[in-house]
Amino acid sequence: MSDKKMLRVLFCMGINQNFFDAPRDEQLQVWAAFSAMWNGIHDLAGVKVLGNMDDDQSMVGPSDGFPWTTYLLADVPDIETVHAACNLFRSTPVGDGPYKLWRYTKVEARVGRELIIQRT
């Protein structure tokens, strides 16, 4: 039995200006690629998604840093799996064209641990 603790990871994701400049058909292809990436994170071995939050109603326009467009909170078994999740942005194709998802979106993974408050 391993005493190794899961990593608590907040994937902070931003939509950049390339998405907003793209024609509607291309934006729909980006959305399909984003959905594939999102499902890909859920499907990584040992990942337990705890929740998500989307700022799209109170934040308008591109996000290349805080505040981010959307967030995904997950328990992840190791740093290699965190890297694999981030790599989905580099490897997920957008439609049949030459571009990958990272052309339109950005991710920053904040890695920590679960905060446990001891009761006194």
Side-chain angles (χ1 to χ4, degrees), residues 16-63:
N16 68 33
Q17 190 63 46
N18 288 335
F19 173 80
F20 293 101
D21 291 341
R24 182 69 179 146
D25 288 346
E26 190 173 337
Q27 288 178 341
L28 292 172
Q29 292 173 1
V30 172
W31 180 243
F34 193 89
S35 297
M37 171 279 301
W38 191 270
N39 291 329
I41 291 175
H42 281 75
D43 293 342
L44 288 170
V47 170
K48 179 182 178 191
V49 173
L50 303 173
N52 62 68
M53 187 182 88
D54 197 353
D55 265 354
D56 71 332
Q57 291 183 324
S58 59
M59 185 191 149
V60 179
S63 172

Coordinates of all heavy atoms in Angstrom, one line a residue, residues 16-63:
N16 N -7.8 32.8 -25.9 CA -7.0 34.0 -26.4 C -7.6 34.7 -27.6 O -8.7 34.2 -28.1 CB -5.5 33.6 -26.6 CG -5.3 32.7 -27.8 OD1 -6.0 32.7 -28.8 ND2 -4.4 31.8 -27.6
Q17 N -7.0 35.7 -28.1 CA -7.5 36.5 -29.2 C -7.7 35.8 -30.5 O -8.6 36.1 -31.3 CB -6.6 37.7 -29.4 CG -7.2 38.8 -30.3 CD -8.5 39.4 -29.8 OE1 -8.6 39.7 -28.6 NE2 -9.5 39.4 -30.6
N18 N -6.8 34.7 -30.7 CA -7.0 34.0 -32.0 C -8.4 33.3 -32.1 O -8.9 33.3 -33.2 CB -5.9 32.9 -32.0 CG -4.5 33.4 -32.3 OD1 -4.4 34.5 -32.8 ND2 -3.5 32.7 -31.9
F19 N -8.9 32.9 -31.0 CA -10.3 32.4 -31.0 C -11.3 33.4 -31.4 O -12.1 33.2 -32.3 CB -10.7 31.8 -29.6 CG -12.1 31.4 -29.6 CD1 -12.5 30.1 -30.1 CD2 -13.1 32.2 -29.0 CE1 -13.8 29.7 -30.1 CE2 -14.4 31.8 -29.0 CZ -14.8 30.5 -29.5
F20 N -11.2 34.6 -30.9 CA -12.1 35.7 -31.2 C -12.0 36.2 -32.6 O -12.9 36.7 -33.2 CB -12.0 36.8 -30.1 CG -12.4 36.4 -28.8 CD1 -11.5 36.0 -27.8 CD2 -13.8 36.3 -28.5 CE1 -11.9 35.6 -26.6 CE2 -14.2 35.8 -27.2 CZ -13.3 35.5 -26.2
D21 N -10.8 36.1 -33.1 CA -10.5 36.6 -34.5 C -10.9 35.5 -35.6 O -11.0 35.8 -36.7 CB -9.0 36.9 -34.7 CG -8.6 38.1 -33.9 OD1 -9.5 38.9 -33.6 OD2 -7.4 38.3 -33.7
A22 N -11.1 34.3 -35.1 CA -11.4 33.2 -36.1 C -12.9 33.3 -36.6 O -13.8 33.8 -35.9 CB -11.3 31.8 -35.4
P23 N -13.1 32.9 -37.8 CA -14.5 32.8 -38.3 C -15.3 31.8 -37.5 O -14.8 30.9 -36.9 CB -14.3 32.3 -39.8 CG -12.9 32.0 -40.0 CD -12.1 32.4 -38.8
R24 N -16.6 31.9 -37.6 CA -17.5 31.1 -36.8 C -17.3 29.6 -37.0 O -17.3 28.9 -36.0 CB -19.0 31.5 -37.1 CG -20.0 30.7 -36.3 CD -20.0 31.2 -34.9 NE -21.0 30.4 -34.1 CZ -20.8 30.1 -32.8 NH1 -19.7 30.4 -32.2 NH2 -21.8 29.5 -32.2
D25 N -17.1 29.2 -38.2 CA -16.8 27.7 -38.4 C -15.6 27.2 -37.7 O -15.6 26.2 -37.1 CB -16.7 27.4 -39.9 CG -18.0 27.5 -40.7 OD1 -19.1 27.5 -40.0 OD2 -18.0 27.5 -41.9
E26 N -14.6 28.1 -37.7 CA -13.3 27.7 -37.0 C -13.5 27.7 -35.5 O -13.0 26.9 -34.8 CB -12.2 28.7 -37.4 CG -10.8 28.3 -36.9 CD -9.8 29.2 -37.5 OE1 -10.0 29.8 -38.5 OE2 -8.7 29.3 -36.9
Q27 N -14.3 28.7 -35.0 CA -14.6 28.7 -33.5 C -15.3 27.5 -33.1 O -15.1 26.9 -32.0 CB -15.5 30.0 -33.2 CG -14.7 31.3 -33.3 CD -15.6 32.5 -33.0 OE1 -16.9 32.4 -33.1 NE2 -15.0 33.6 -32.7
L28 N -16.3 27.0 -33.9 CA -17.0 25.7 -33.6 C -16.0 24.5 -33.6 O -16.1 23.6 -32.7 CB -18.1 25.5 -34.6 CG -19.3 26.5 -34.5 CD1 -20.2 26.3 -35.7 CD2 -20.0 26.4 -33.2
Q29 N -15.0 24.5 -34.5 CA -14.0 23.5 -34.4 C -13.1 23.6 -33.2 O -12.7 22.6 -32.6 CB -13.1 23.6 -35.7 CG -13.8 23.2 -37.0 CD -13.0 23.5 -38.2 OE1 -11.8 23.9 -38.1 NE2 -13.6 23.2 -39.4
V30 N -12.8 24.8 -32.7 CA -12.1 25.0 -31.5 C -12.9 24.5 -30.3 O -12.4 23.8 -29.4 CB -11.7 26.5 -31.3 CG1 -11.1 26.7 -29.9 CG2 -10.8 27.0 -32.4
W31 N -14.2 24.8 -30.3 CA -15.1 24.3 -29.2 C -15.1 22.7 -29.2 O -15.0 22.1 -28.1 CB -16.5 24.8 -29.4 CG -17.4 24.3 -28.3 CD1 -18.5 23.6 -28.4 CD2 -17.3 24.6 -26.9 NE1 -19.1 23.3 -27.2 CE2 -18.3 23.9 -26.2 CE3 -16.3 25.2 -26.1 CZ2 -18.5 23.9 -24.8 CZ3 -16.5 25.3 -24.7 CH2 -17.6 24.6 -24.1
A32 N -15.1 22.1 -30.4 CA -15.1 20.6 -30.4 C -13.7 20.1 -29.9 O -13.7 19.1 -29.1 CB -15.3 20.1 -31.8
A33 N -12.6 20.8 -30.3 CA -11.3 20.4 -29.8 C -11.2 20.6 -28.3 O -10.6 19.8 -27.5 CB -10.2 21.2 -30.5
F34 N -11.8 21.7 -27.8 CA -11.8 22.0 -26.3 C -12.5 20.9 -25.6 O -12.1 20.4 -24.5 CB -12.4 23.4 -26.1 CG -12.1 23.9 -24.7 CD1 -11.0 24.6 -24.4 CD2 -13.0 23.6 -23.6 CE1 -10.8 25.1 -23.1 CE2 -12.8 24.0 -22.4 CZ -11.7 24.8 -22.1
S35 N -13.6 20.5 -26.1 CA -14.4 19.4 -25.5 C -13.6 18.1 -25.5 O -13.7 17.4 -24.5 CB -15.7 19.2 -26.3 OG -16.5 20.4 -26.2
A36 N -12.9 17.8 -26.6 CA -12.1 16.6 -26.6 C -11.0 16.7 -25.6 O -10.7 15.7 -24.9 CB -11.5 16.4 -28.0
M37 N -10.3 17.8 -25.4 CA -9.3 18.0 -24.4 C -9.9 17.8 -23.0 O -9.3 17.1 -22.2 CB -8.7 19.4 -24.6 CG -7.7 19.8 -23.5 SD -8.5 20.5 -22.0 CE -9.4 21.9 -22.6
W38 N -11.0 18.5 -22.8 CA -11.7 18.4 -21.5 C -12.0 16.9 -21.1 O -11.7 16.5 -20.0 CB -13.0 19.2 -21.5 CG -13.6 19.5 -20.2 CD1 -14.6 18.7 -19.6 CD2 -13.5 20.6 -19.4 NE1 -15.0 19.3 -18.5 CE2 -14.3 20.5 -18.3 CE3 -12.6 21.8 -19.5 CZ2 -14.4 21.5 -17.3 CZ3 -12.7 22.7 -18.5 CH2 -13.6 22.6 -17.4
N39 N -12.6 16.2 -22.0 CA -12.8 14.8 -21.8 C -11.5 14.0 -21.6 O -11.5 13.0 -20.9 CB -13.7 14.2 -22.9 CG -15.1 14.8 -22.9 OD1 -15.6 15.1 -21.9 ND2 -15.7 14.9 -24.1
G40 N -10.5 14.4 -22.4 CA -9.2 13.8 -22.2 C -8.6 13.9 -20.8 O -8.0 12.9 -20.3
I41 N -8.8 15.0 -20.2 CA -8.3 15.2 -18.8 C -9.1 14.2 -17.9 O -8.5 13.5 -17.1 CB -8.5 16.6 -18.3 CG1 -7.5 17.5 -19.1 CG2 -8.2 16.7 -16.8 CD1 -7.6 19.0 -18.7
H42 N -10.4 14.2 -18.1 CA -11.3 13.3 -17.3 C -10.8 11.8 -17.4 O -10.9 11.0 -16.5 CB -12.7 13.4 -17.7 CG -13.4 14.6 -17.1 ND1 -13.3 15.8 -17.6 CD2 -14.4 14.7 -16.1 CE1 -14.1 16.7 -16.9 NE2 -14.7 16.0 -16.0
D43 N -10.3 11.5 -18.6 CA -10.0 10.1 -18.9 C -8.6 9.7 -18.6 O -8.3 8.5 -18.7 CB -10.2 9.8 -20.4 CG -11.7 9.9 -20.8 OD1 -12.6 9.8 -20.0 OD2 -12.0 10.1 -22.0
L44 N -7.8 10.6 -18.1 CA -6.4 10.2 -17.8 C -6.4 9.3 -16.5 O -7.2 9.5 -15.6 CB -5.6 11.5 -17.5 CG -5.2 12.3 -18.7 CD1 -4.6 13.6 -18.2 CD2 -4.2 11.6 -19.6
A45 N -5.6 8.3 -16.6 CA -5.6 7.3 -15.5 C -5.3 8.0 -14.1 O -4.4 8.8 -13.9 CB -4.5 6.3 -15.7
G46 N -6.2 7.6 -13.2 CA -6.1 8.1 -11.8 C -6.6 9.5 -11.5 O -6.6 9.9 -10.4
V47 N -7.1 10.2 -12.6 CA -7.6 11.6 -12.4 C -9.0 11.5 -11.8 O -9.9 10.8 -12.4 CB -7.5 12.4 -13.7 CG1 -8.2 13.7 -13.5 CG2 -6.1 12.6 -14.1
K48 N -9.3 12.3 -10.8 CA -10.6 12.4 -10.3 C -11.0 13.9 -10.3 O -10.4 14.7 -9.6 CB -10.7 11.9 -8.8 CG -12.1 12.1 -8.2 CD -12.1 11.6 -6.8 CE -13.5 11.9 -6.2 NZ -13.6 11.7 -4.8
V49 N -11.8 14.2 -11.3 CA -12.3 15.6 -11.4 C -13.3 15.9 -10.3 O -14.2 15.2 -10.1 CB -12.9 15.9 -12.8 CG1 -13.5 17.3 -12.9 CG2 -11.9 15.7 -13.9
L50 N -13.0 17.0 -9.6 CA -13.8 17.4 -8.4 C -14.8 18.5 -8.8 O -15.9 18.6 -8.1 CB -12.9 17.9 -7.3 CG -11.8 17.0 -6.8 CD1 -10.9 17.6 -5.8 CD2 -12.4 15.7 -6.2
G51 N -14.5 19.3 -9.8 CA -15.5 20.3 -10.2 C -14.9 21.2 -11.2 O -13.7 21.1 -11.6
N52 N -15.7 22.2 -11.6 CA -15.2 23.2 -12.6 C -16.0 24.4 -12.4 O -17.0 24.5 -11.7 CB -15.4 22.6 -14.0 CG -16.8 22.4 -14.4 OD1 -17.6 23.3 -14.5 ND2 -17.1 21.1 -14.6
M53 N -15.5 25.5 -13.0 CA -16.2 26.8 -12.9 C -15.9 27.5 -14.2 O -14.8 27.5 -14.7 CB -15.7 27.6 -11.7 CG -16.4 28.9 -11.5 SD -15.8 29.9 -10.2 CE -14.5 30.8 -11.0
D54 N -16.9 28.2 -14.7 CA -16.8 29.0 -16.0 C -17.1 30.4 -15.7 O -18.1 30.7 -15.1 CB -17.7 28.4 -17.0 CG -17.4 28.8 -18.4 OD1 -16.5 29.6 -18.6 OD2 -18.0 28.3 -19.4
D55 N -16.2 31.3 -16.1 CA -16.4 32.8 -16.0 C -17.0 33.4 -17.2 O -17.0 34.7 -17.2 CB -15.1 33.4 -15.7 CG -14.7 33.6 -14.2 OD1 -15.6 33.3 -13.4 OD2 -13.6 34.0 -13.9
D56 N -17.5 32.7 -18.1 CA -17.9 33.3 -19.4 C -19.0 34.3 -19.3 O -19.2 35.1 -20.3 CB -18.2 32.2 -20.5 CG -19.5 31.4 -20.2 OD1 -19.9 31.4 -19.0 OD2 -20.1 31.0 -21.2
Q57 N -19.8 34.3 -18.3 CA -20.9 35.2 -18.2 C -20.5 36.5 -17.6 O -21.1 37.6 -17.8 CB -22.1 34.6 -17.5 CG -22.8 33.5 -18.3 CD -24.0 32.9 -17.5 OE1 -24.0 32.8 -16.3 NE2 -25.0 32.6 -18.3
S58 N -19.5 36.5 -16.8 CA -19.0 37.7 -16.1 C -17.7 38.3 -16.6 O -17.2 39.3 -16.2 CB -19.0 37.5 -14.6 OG -18.1 36.5 -14.3
M59 N -17.1 37.5 -17.5 CA -15.8 38.0 -18.1 C -16.0 37.9 -19.6 O -16.3 36.9 -20.1 CB -14.7 37.0 -17.6 CG -13.3 37.5 -18.1 SD -12.2 36.2 -17.9 CE -11.1 36.5 -19.2
V60 N -15.7 39.0 -20.3 CA -15.9 39.1 -21.7 C -14.5 39.3 -22.3 O -13.7 40.2 -21.9 CB -16.9 40.2 -22.1 CG1 -17.0 40.3 -23.6 CG2 -18.2 40.0 -21.4
G61 N -14.2 38.6 -23.4 CA -13.0 38.8 -24.2 C -11.9 37.8 -23.8 O -12.1 36.9 -23.0
P62 N -10.7 38.0 -24.4 CA -9.6 37.0 -24.2 C -9.1 37.1 -22.8 O -9.2 38.1 -22.1 CB -8.6 37.5 -25.2 CG -8.9 38.9 -25.5 CD -10.4 39.1 -25.3
S63 N -8.5 35.9 -22.4 CA -7.9 35.8 -21.1 C -6.5 35.1 -21.2 O -6.5 34.0 -21.6 CB -8.8 34.9 -20.2 OG -8.1 34.7 -19.0

